[in-house]
Amino acid sequence: MARLHQGNRMPDFQFCTPYEEEGSARELVERGAYKRFAFIFLRYYGCTLCQYDMHRYAEQYSEITAKGGGFCVVLQSHPETIRRELGENTLPYTVICDPERRLYEALEIQPAADSSQLMGGDTRAKVQEARKWFTHKEYEGEELQMPAVFVVDRELLLTYVRYGENAGDVPGPEELKRLLETG
């Protein structure tokens, strides 16, 4: 695998979740018969920003997926961490665990060069908002890991690719909803 671009095909990678042994990207998209599907690569569950984004996606799941789209979140977290923090499968979307960072490396989702790049853009303001509800938990994986978002159609053809420029550079619920709508 290599860095992806719009028009490429998303590799049909294997993964595990906190609640299922393994699956594949194709199976995930086909199982829900989604028109479009987003793979949202965040950092790890202990990250305050990641908890915040995951919570917002869960709260607005019905609105985000109303027109036949779906999504999952990929984290550097161990499945045990997610089960310990969230208990039973309480999220309406799939969480993929990649504690060895194999998918991040294969898709060339790079860490930031330094903490100033990681905290660039509007990230500091987003962190302040997130801290109103969430606290930082256990560190996992590469602390400087940047996010990425890949939206595919039913055939895993990439309709949208975004390699984040800072830790907060992921779509909010409204933008994600628009990305999953088909024309």
Side-chain angles (χ1 to χ4, degrees):
M1 291 188 260
R3 194 164 178 100
L4 299 173
H5 302 280
Q6 189 171 332
N8 291 153
R9 193 166 305 282
M10 179 71 141
D12 186 18
F13 58 82
Q14 296 294 124
F15 62 82
C16 74
T17 78
Y19 311 103
E20 298 174 11
E21 283 300 310
E22 62 180 55
S24 75
R26 179 167 299 286
E27 290 168 353
L28 189 57
V29 172
E30 287 176 351
R31 180 174 49 205
Y34 299 110
K35 296 175 184 173
R36 291 221 172 129
F37 191 88
F39 294 89
I40 305 168
F41 284 74
L42 300 177
R43 297 170 66 221
Y44 55 92
Y45 186 77
C47 166
T48 308
L49 283 175
C50 299
Q51 293 174 61
Y52 179 66
D53 286 325
M54 290 174 69
H55 175 76
R56 290 176 39 199
Y57 294 150
E59 273 191 332
Q60 296 185 42
Y61 181 80
S62 295
E63 293 87 359
I64 293 169
T65 60
K67 293 198 177 178
F71 65 94
C72 69
V73 169
V74 183
L75 299 170
Q76 300 175 90
S77 297
H78 289 273
E80 303 82 39
T81 302
I82 304 302
R83 286 193 302 269
R84 181 180 68 245
E85 294 293 334
L86 297 176
E88 291 301 311
N89 193 2
T90 58
L91 294 172
Y93 53 84
T94 299
V95 174
I96 294 175
C97 296
D98 185 21
E100 290 85 25
R101 299 184 61 253
R102 290 185 183 128
L103 295 173
Y104 291 83
E105 290 175 8
L107 300 175
E108 296 186 26
I109 307 169
Q110 302 295 323
D114 54 36
S115 60
S116 65
Q117 180 187 8
L118 189 72
M119 296 304 288
D122 295 334
T123 301
R124 290 190 196 287
K126 189 175 178 181
V127 168
Q128 291 304 322
E129 183 67 20
R131 284 183 179 159
K132 292 178 183 176
W133 295 279
F134 300 99
T135 59
H136 199 285
K137 298 179 186 275
E138 181 180 343
Y139 287 93
E140 294 181 282
E142 167 58 61
E143 179 60 20
L144 295 176
Q145 183 61 57
M146 297 289 260
V149 178
F150 307 101
V151 179
V152 299
D153 66 11
R154 291 181 193 203
E155 302 302 317
L156 297 183
L157 188 67
L158 287 154
T159 62
Y160 178 84
V161 174
R162 179 175 176 175
Y163 285 87
E165 295 183 14
N166 56 64
D169 191 12
V170 294
E174 283 300 315
E175 183 182 358
L176 181 57
K177 177 183 173 182
R178 284 191 301 276
L179 290 171
L180 295 176
E181 292 176 349
T182 56

